[in-house]
Amino acid sequence: MPFAPPPASALPHVPSAAATVRQAHRFLLALAQGQSMDWRSVPRSALRWLEDRSLIEPCLSTRGWDYRVTSKGVRAVLGQKAA
């Protein structure tokens, strides 16, 4: 019996690597500029990408668990003199 792949609609949506990096960069830039951005609106893959590179770290805030940008993250997105 020949193998037939499932229809495209049955496959889970996996964002491309480029889309993940774009979303991660957008979130990192907002944090570095001091803007308040809800991390729940960012895909988990983008958050994981930033965490793996030590650009953000989880922290406890007045709203519960949140993320803050690290000095490495600030330098990565705003340049050396910003940190």
PDB file of all heavy atoms in Angstrom, residues 28-44:
ATOM      1  N   LEU A  28      11.795  41.869  21.647  1.00  0.00           N
ATOM      2  CA  LEU A  28      13.019  42.334  22.291  1.00  0.00           C
ATOM      3  C   LEU A  28      13.182  43.840  22.141  1.00  0.00           C
ATOM      4  O   LEU A  28      13.533  44.532  23.098  1.00  0.00           O
ATOM      5  CB  LEU A  28      14.225  41.601  21.700  1.00  0.00           C
ATOM      6  CG  LEU A  28      15.584  41.912  22.305  1.00  0.00           C
ATOM      7  CD1 LEU A  28      15.622  41.497  23.774  1.00  0.00           C
ATOM      8  CD2 LEU A  28      16.676  41.208  21.531  1.00  0.00           C
ATOM      9  N   LEU A  29      12.908  44.372  20.977  1.00  0.00           N
ATOM     10  CA  LEU A  29      13.012  45.811  20.743  1.00  0.00           C
ATOM     11  C   LEU A  29      12.033  46.578  21.631  1.00  0.00           C
ATOM     12  O   LEU A  29      12.393  47.588  22.236  1.00  0.00           O
ATOM     13  CB  LEU A  29      12.755  46.123  19.271  1.00  0.00           C
ATOM     14  CG  LEU A  29      12.879  47.586  18.844  1.00  0.00           C
ATOM     15  CD1 LEU A  29      14.286  48.097  19.123  1.00  0.00           C
ATOM     16  CD2 LEU A  29      12.539  47.740  17.381  1.00  0.00           C
ATOM     17  N   ALA A  30      10.805  46.083  21.750  1.00  0.00           N
ATOM     18  CA  ALA A  30       9.813  46.746  22.606  1.00  0.00           C
ATOM     19  C   ALA A  30      10.283  46.754  24.057  1.00  0.00           C
ATOM     20  O   ALA A  30      10.194  47.785  24.740  1.00  0.00           O
ATOM     21  CB  ALA A  30       8.459  46.047  22.483  1.00  0.00           C
ATOM     22  N   LEU A  31      10.794  45.630  24.547  1.00  0.00           N
ATOM     23  CA  LEU A  31      11.285  45.573  25.923  1.00  0.00           C
ATOM     24  C   LEU A  31      12.469  46.504  26.129  1.00  0.00           C
ATOM     25  O   LEU A  31      12.548  47.215  27.129  1.00  0.00           O
ATOM     26  CB  LEU A  31      11.690  44.144  26.288  1.00  0.00           C
ATOM     27  CG  LEU A  31      10.595  43.121  26.502  1.00  0.00           C
ATOM     28  CD1 LEU A  31      11.197  41.775  26.855  1.00  0.00           C
ATOM     29  CD2 LEU A  31       9.622  43.563  27.566  1.00  0.00           C
ATOM     30  N   ALA A  32      13.393  46.501  25.200  1.00  0.00           N
ATOM     31  CA  ALA A  32      14.600  47.327  25.325  1.00  0.00           C
ATOM     32  C   ALA A  32      14.268  48.815  25.307  1.00  0.00           C
ATOM     33  O   ALA A  32      14.959  49.615  25.932  1.00  0.00           O
ATOM     34  CB  ALA A  32      15.580  46.987  24.212  1.00  0.00           C
ATOM     35  N   GLN A  33      13.205  49.187  24.617  1.00  0.00           N
ATOM     36  CA  GLN A  33      12.793  50.591  24.551  1.00  0.00           C
ATOM     37  C   GLN A  33      11.880  50.975  25.709  1.00  0.00           C
ATOM     38  O   GLN A  33      11.401  52.090  25.784  1.00  0.00           O
ATOM     39  CB  GLN A  33      12.090  50.874  23.225  1.00  0.00           C
ATOM     40  CG  GLN A  33      13.019  50.799  22.045  1.00  0.00           C
ATOM     41  CD  GLN A  33      12.292  50.984  20.726  1.00  0.00           C
ATOM     42  OE1 GLN A  33      11.097  50.759  20.613  1.00  0.00           O
ATOM     43  NE2 GLN A  33      13.038  51.400  19.710  1.00  0.00           N
ATOM     44  N   GLY A  34      11.643  50.035  26.623  1.00  0.00           N
ATOM     45  CA  GLY A  34      10.834  50.326  27.799  1.00  0.00           C
ATOM     46  C   GLY A  34       9.341  50.265  27.573  1.00  0.00           C
ATOM     47  O   GLY A  34       8.560  50.695  28.426  1.00  0.00           O
ATOM     48  N   GLN A  35       8.921  49.734  26.448  1.00  0.00           N
ATOM     49  CA  GLN A  35       7.492  49.612  26.168  1.00  0.00           C
ATOM     50  C   GLN A  35       6.937  48.392  26.903  1.00  0.00           C
ATOM     51  O   GLN A  35       7.633  47.404  27.098  1.00  0.00           O
ATOM     52  CB  GLN A  35       7.248  49.456  24.665  1.00  0.00           C
ATOM     53  CG  GLN A  35       7.721  50.640  23.858  1.00  0.00           C
ATOM     54  CD  GLN A  35       7.619  50.358  22.371  1.00  0.00           C
ATOM     55  OE1 GLN A  35       7.061  49.362  21.938  1.00  0.00           O
ATOM     56  NE2 GLN A  35       8.181  51.261  21.576  1.00  0.00           N
ATOM     57  N   SER A  36       5.702  48.492  27.302  1.00  0.00           N
ATOM     58  CA  SER A  36       5.056  47.365  27.963  1.00  0.00           C
ATOM     59  C   SER A  36       4.400  46.500  26.895  1.00  0.00           C
ATOM     60  O   SER A  36       3.561  46.959  26.137  1.00  0.00           O
ATOM     61  CB  SER A  36       4.003  47.892  28.938  1.00  0.00           C
ATOM     62  OG  SER A  36       3.341  46.825  29.539  1.00  0.00           O
ATOM     63  N   MET A  37       4.825  45.251  26.828  1.00  0.00           N
ATOM     64  CA  MET A  37       4.274  44.329  25.842  1.00  0.00           C
ATOM     65  C   MET A  37       3.962  43.020  26.540  1.00  0.00           C
ATOM     66  O   MET A  37       4.792  42.495  27.279  1.00  0.00           O
ATOM     67  CB  MET A  37       5.277  44.108  24.715  1.00  0.00           C
ATOM     68  CG  MET A  37       4.743  43.320  23.571  1.00  0.00           C
ATOM     69  SD  MET A  37       5.917  43.330  22.205  1.00  0.00           S
ATOM     70  CE  MET A  37       5.073  42.310  21.042  1.00  0.00           C
ATOM     71  N   ASP A  38       2.764  42.519  26.344  1.00  0.00           N
ATOM     72  CA  ASP A  38       2.357  41.281  26.995  1.00  0.00           C
ATOM     73  C   ASP A  38       3.042  40.095  26.318  1.00  0.00           C
ATOM     74  O   ASP A  38       2.858  39.867  25.126  1.00  0.00           O
ATOM     75  CB  ASP A  38       0.842  41.134  26.921  1.00  0.00           C
ATOM     76  CG  ASP A  38       0.330  39.957  27.724  1.00  0.00           C
ATOM     77  OD1 ASP A  38       1.128  39.329  28.449  1.00  0.00           O
ATOM     78  OD2 ASP A  38      -0.866  39.665  27.622  1.00  0.00           O
ATOM     79  N   TRP A  39       3.816  39.353  27.081  1.00  0.00           N
ATOM     80  CA  TRP A  39       4.548  38.226  26.518  1.00  0.00           C
ATOM     81  C   TRP A  39       3.615  37.125  26.027  1.00  0.00           C
ATOM     82  O   TRP A  39       3.989  36.322  25.191  1.00  0.00           O
ATOM     83  CB  TRP A  39       5.549  37.664  27.531  1.00  0.00           C
ATOM     84  CG  TRP A  39       4.945  37.138  28.803  1.00  0.00           C
ATOM     85  CD1 TRP A  39       4.726  37.826  29.951  1.00  0.00           C
ATOM     86  CD2 TRP A  39       4.485  35.817  29.042  1.00  0.00           C
ATOM     87  NE1 TRP A  39       4.156  37.021  30.900  1.00  0.00           N
ATOM     88  CE2 TRP A  39       3.998  35.775  30.365  1.00  0.00           C
ATOM     89  CE3 TRP A  39       4.432  34.658  28.282  1.00  0.00           C
ATOM     90  CZ2 TRP A  39       3.469  34.624  30.936  1.00  0.00           C
ATOM     91  CZ3 TRP A  39       3.898  33.513  28.856  1.00  0.00           C
ATOM     92  CH2 TRP A  39       3.433  33.509  30.167  1.00  0.00           C
ATOM     93  N   ARG A  40       2.369  37.104  26.512  1.00  0.00           N
ATOM     94  CA  ARG A  40       1.434  36.077  26.060  1.00  0.00           C
ATOM     95  C   ARG A  40       0.995  36.287  24.611  1.00  0.00           C
ATOM     96  O   ARG A  40       0.426  35.386  23.996  1.00  0.00           O
ATOM     97  CB  ARG A  40       0.218  36.031  26.989  1.00  0.00           C
ATOM     98  CG  ARG A  40       0.582  35.529  28.395  1.00  0.00           C
ATOM     99  CD  ARG A  40      -0.584  35.443  29.320  1.00  0.00           C
ATOM    100  NE  ARG A  40      -0.925  36.468  30.278  1.00  0.00           N
ATOM    101  CZ  ARG A  40      -0.123  37.181  31.052  1.00  0.00           C
ATOM    102  NH1 ARG A  40       1.146  37.058  30.944  1.00  0.00           N
ATOM    103  NH2 ARG A  40      -0.572  38.036  31.918  1.00  0.00           N
ATOM    104  N   SER A  41       1.266  37.470  24.064  1.00  0.00           N
ATOM    105  CA  SER A  41       0.924  37.728  22.667  1.00  0.00           C
ATOM    106  C   SER A  41       2.046  37.302  21.720  1.00  0.00           C
ATOM    107  O   SER A  41       1.897  37.390  20.507  1.00  0.00           O
ATOM    108  CB  SER A  41       0.614  39.215  22.470  1.00  0.00           C
ATOM    109  OG  SER A  41       1.787  39.987  22.685  1.00  0.00           O
ATOM    110  N   VAL A  42       3.151  36.836  22.282  1.00  0.00           N
ATOM    111  CA  VAL A  42       4.314  36.427  21.485  1.00  0.00           C
ATOM    112  C   VAL A  42       4.357  34.903  21.443  1.00  0.00           C
ATOM    113  O   VAL A  42       4.182  34.257  22.481  1.00  0.00           O
ATOM    114  CB  VAL A  42       5.620  36.979  22.127  1.00  0.00           C
ATOM    115  CG1 VAL A  42       6.834  36.561  21.327  1.00  0.00           C
ATOM    116  CG2 VAL A  42       5.544  38.485  22.255  1.00  0.00           C
ATOM    117  N   PRO A  43       4.566  34.323  20.270  1.00  0.00           N
ATOM    118  CA  PRO A  43       4.625  32.859  20.186  1.00  0.00           C
ATOM    119  C   PRO A  43       5.712  32.282  21.104  1.00  0.00           C
ATOM    120  O   PRO A  43       6.777  32.870  21.272  1.00  0.00           O
ATOM    121  CB  PRO A  43       4.959  32.585  18.722  1.00  0.00           C
ATOM    122  CG  PRO A  43       4.578  33.820  18.000  1.00  0.00           C
ATOM    123  CD  PRO A  43       4.741  34.947  18.966  1.00  0.00           C
ATOM    124  N   ARG A  44       5.431  31.138  21.671  1.00  0.00           N
ATOM    125  CA  ARG A  44       6.387  30.494  22.583  1.00  0.00           C
ATOM    126  C   ARG A  44       7.719  30.223  21.897  1.00  0.00           C
ATOM    127  O   ARG A  44       8.776  30.294  22.524  1.00  0.00           O
ATOM    128  CB  ARG A  44       5.772  29.196  23.116  1.00  0.00           C
ATOM    129  CG  ARG A  44       6.630  28.482  24.103  1.00  0.00           C
ATOM    130  CD  ARG A  44       6.700  29.235  25.425  1.00  0.00           C
ATOM    131  NE  ARG A  44       7.777  28.677  26.227  1.00  0.00           N
ATOM    132  CZ  ARG A  44       8.673  29.398  26.885  1.00  0.00           C
ATOM    133  NH1 ARG A  44       8.618  30.691  26.880  1.00  0.00           N
ATOM    134  NH2 ARG A  44       9.623  28.824  27.573  1.00  0.00           N
TER     135      ARG A  44
END
